[in-house]
Amino acid sequence: MNDLVRQHTALSETDLEWLHLLVSEWQLLSDLSFADLVLWVPTLDGTRYVSVAQMRPNTGPTSYQDDMVGHLVPRGRRPLLDAALDEGRIVREGDPEWREEVPVRVESIPVRREGRVLGVIARNTNLLTVRTPSRLELTYLQSASDLAQMIAAGAFPFPGQQVDMDASPRVGDGLMRLDADGVVTYASPNALSAYHRLGLASDLVGQHLGTTTAELAPSRGPVDEALVKLASGWAPRETEVEGNGGVIQLRAIPLKPKGTRIGSLVLCRDVTELRRRERELITKDATIREIHHRVKNNLQTVAALLRLQARRMDSTQGREALNEAVRRVGSIAIVHETLSQNLDERVEFDEIADRVIAMVAEISPGKVDCRRIGRFGILDAEVATPLSMVLTEILQNALEHAFAPGERGAVEVTAARSGTGRDDSRLLITVQDDGCGLPEGFDPQRAGNLGLQIVRTLVEGELGGAFDMVPGEAGGTRVVLDIPASPQK
């Protein structure tokens, strides 16, 4: 819609925002009307109309099998659009149109904002299934007529009330029509069922909805008065009411077709099971985060015990081995600490990589500069945990063997993604140092060093990737990892 409006019309950005607000709400009008809606806006030169949005009803058959958005029609071809635009009134005159052997009643509703008509809504009703209307259908149609008059007067949609139609109740979920005093004059079967879920034992018709709703909900002191007003439809608001083990969602829409409030529509939806599942998920997420937090604490305890043991070792070789174990345990603890702060089992690995680099660099403070280039991105925990250990081993190996004691140098960790989708993308990691390089005849695939054995096992066995260690082009050593960015099934 943005592109069409800016390309073909003279509407301002604030006018466009109004149209967006209308389109976010007009599923309600379409469902109440049992009709398709097409929004037509006059072009910049005033000689044509361009259709910028379309909506089909959930309550009846469509009148348009094709997508109408982007169509251009000249003025004069559709007289009802011309009359509604020029006269600023709802136009219903004319015989039904025939489209693919289907009779369609066409009406035009001007879209007004601050006294100006921005465009016209064409309301198209498929007459093929017209039958004697029920009380529900009559209530729907009367409510649709009231909303159409409010659109034509610029009183609907309500400014500042952007609605998420995916989360808000819809017409079919449950509808109640109230009079000006807030008394229910009609309640659909779904609306009545929702209130029965709250504990209502009688019919809704004839009852004051605000008072009845407040009585069914647990007492909340001063908030009850606000709930009474909201459920009475005095202002466009949404809320949830919980009682008797049930939860219903309410949305109030005041009806002012001629500028004076004549009543309101209240849409409702039973969201009891939805909220129950959400609470279960929240509990599950909290439990998972707590588990990661405890694992991290336990790993840090293990690392502390190993560190204490290392300090008591007389053997330099044994002390170094324990310190290496401390760093290995620490790299896993970093992943679990990050997971304990997330809502899912995925982590931003750049932060983990930076912490691993800083942790390993402590073995040669102020001598070797370690830095990261590029981004690892978001990884699943199944990839992040072994990758953190692999990165720890490679960096630890570089800092211990590439540089002599006291020698200055640099180690660069470069990360890049290849591929487009999450499932088929790969992660290419290069660790380059400018140290002494590899010994003559060194074979990384056969070396017996424990650290390289860990790297080979994790990269090839657990991550399903490839590992190589070669001389750098400008000296030093380059380690290359090519792994899938998502877990291997």
Side-chain angles (χ1 to χ4, degrees):
M1 186 166 71
N2 287 349
D3 293 339
L4 289 170
V5 168
R6 290 165 181 160
Q7 179 182 354
H8 294 286
T9 78
L11 298 182
S12 66
E13 289 299 316
T14 52
D15 292 334
L16 180 57
E17 290 177 9
W18 182 262
L19 295 184
H20 273 293
L21 188 60
L22 172 65
V23 168
S24 73
E25 291 271 29
W26 72 343
Q27 180 74 65
L28 175 64
L29 177 62
S30 178
D31 290 344
L32 290 172
S33 304
F34 308 97
D36 290 73
L37 305 179
V38 179
L39 177 57
W40 297 92
V41 180
T43 57
L44 183 62
D45 57 10
T47 62
R48 296 181 296 175
Y49 298 97
V50 58
S51 57
V52 298
Q54 179 179 3
M55 178 58 65
R56 293 183 172 90
N58 294 316
T59 52
T62 182
S63 302
Y64 286 111
Q65 298 299 326
D66 299 326
D67 188 358
M68 295 296 296
V69 175
H71 283 215
L72 289 162
V73 297
R75 273 186 67 98
R77 180 175 296 179
R78 301 194 177 183
L80 297 186
L81 295 182
D82 298 338
L85 183 69
D86 297 338
E87 301 173 23
R89 64 180 180 88
I90 299 175
V91 182
R92 296 189 176 93
E93 298 88 353
D95 297 327
E97 297 180 3
W98 287 84
R99 299 175 189 164
E100 298 180 358
E101 299 184 355
V102 175
V104 177
R105 182 175 64 243
V106 181
E107 304 167 84
S108 296
I109 305 167
V111 177
R112 192 183 303 273
R113 173 181 175 268
E114 295 182 351
R116 295 182 301 112
V117 177
L118 307 182
V120 179
I121 294 175
R123 181 164 56 175
N124 304 269
T125 306
N126 186 326
L127 299 179
L128 198 60
T129 58
V130 169
R131 58 189 183 277
T132 303
S134 64
R135 178 72 188 280
L136 179 144
E137 291 172 330
L138 289 172
T139 302
Y140 277 21
L141 293 172
Q142 180 58 54
S143 302
S145 176
D146 293 335
L147 284 177
Q149 292 184 56
M150 291 171 64
I151 292 173
F156 187 85
F158 303 107
Q161 293 290 323
Q162 187 80 28
V163 175
D164 181 0
M165 292 305 299
D166 292 332
S168 293
R170 297 198 177 200
V171 169
D173 295 326
L175 176 142
M176 292 166 283
R177 175 87 185 215
L178 314 184
D179 64 15
D181 296 323
V183 176
V184 180
T185 60
Y186 175 79
S188 71
N190 285 345
L192 188 59
S193 296
Y195 267 78
H196 284 166
R197 189 72 176 262
L198 287 181
L200 180 68
S202 60
D203 195 359
L204 274 170
V205 176
Q207 298 201 40
H208 188 278
L209 186 64
T211 303
T212 301
T213 304
E215 290 173 351
L216 293 172
S219 177
R220 295 174 293 178
V223 181
D224 283 345
E225 183 178 350
L227 179 60
V228 170
K229 288 185 177 180
L230 187 148
S232 300
W234 285 95
R237 296 286 186 273
E238 289 192 32
T239 192
E240 286 189 4
V241 180
E242 185 170 358
N244 194 41
V247 183
I248 66 171
Q249 188 178 16
L250 296 177
R251 182 190 175 198
I253 304 167
L255 296 176
K256 303 176 181 179
K258 297 182 179 179
T260 303
R261 181 175 172 275
I262 63 168
S264 58
L265 283 180
V266 177
L267 305 181
C268 67
R269 178 171 61 167
D270 185 348
V271 293
T272 305
E273 294 305 314
L274 178 63
R275 295 296 175 259
R276 180 184 62 81
R277 289 195 296 270
E278 287 179 351
R279 287 167 185 156
E280 288 178 353
L281 288 174
I282 291 172
T283 302
K284 179 181 177 182
D285 289 339
T287 301
I288 292 173
R289 289 199 299 271
E290 179 62 21
I291 290 172
H292 284 303
H293 182 71
R294 293 189 182 188
V295 170
K296 182 263 297 183
N297 287 345
N298 290 338
L299 289 172
Q300 288 181 334
T301 300
V302 171
L305 292 174
L306 291 173
R307 197 176 293 111
L308 287 173
Q309 186 67 40
R311 291 172 183 168
R312 295 174 179 270
M313 293 286 293
D314 295 328
S315 167
T316 302
Q317 186 177 4
R319 186 162 51 250
E320 285 301 317
L322 287 175
N323 285 332
E324 288 181 4
V326 168
R327 287 187 285 273
R328 288 167 184 149
V329 172
S331 67
I332 303 174
I334 290 172
V335 176
H336 282 283
E337 181 180 2
T338 305
L339 288 169
S340 70
Q341 301 168 0
N342 292 344
L343 292 176
D344 55 19
E345 292 291 288
R346 308 189 72 204
V347 295
E348 176 62 67
F349 196 79
D350 294 330
E351 177 186 349
I352 293 174
D354 291 341
R355 293 180 63 181
V356 167
I357 291 171
M359 177 184 68
V360 177
E362 290 179 357
I363 66 174
S364 57
K367 300 173 185 176
V368 179
D369 177 32
C370 298
R371 60 173 179 158
R372 171 177 60 86
I373 300 174
R375 296 189 69 251
F376 289 85
I378 297 176
L379 300 176
D380 291 279
E382 298 170 66
V383 175
T385 301
L387 182 57
S388 68
M389 289 192 65
V390 167
L391 193 58
T392 300
E393 296 299 330
I394 294 173
L395 289 170
Q396 191 166 278
N397 187 72
L399 293 175
E400 287 183 357
H401 301 293
F403 306 98
E407 182 182 1
R408 295 189 177 277
V411 178
E412 291 184 349
V413 179
T414 304
R417 287 282 187 105
S418 64
T420 55
R422 172 185 169 187
D423 295 333
D424 61 354
S425 65
R426 298 189 69 84
L427 187 58
L428 183 65
I429 305 166
T430 304
V431 180
Q432 173 75 56
D433 66 62
D434 59 357
C436 61
L438 294 172
E440 185 176 350
F442 179 81
D443 184 358
Q445 303 302 330
R446 297 179 179 273
N449 179 287
L450 176 60
L452 292 181
Q453 288 182 12
I454 292 174
V455 170
R456 286 198 300 269
T457 300
L458 292 177
V459 171
E460 297 173 0
E462 190 162 343
L463 293 174
F467 155 75
D468 199 8
M469 180 181 287
V470 297
E473 295 179 358
T477 302
R478 183 174 67 192
V479 178
V480 180
L481 304 175
D482 184 2
I483 63 173
S486 57
Q488 298 301 287
K489 298 179 181 179

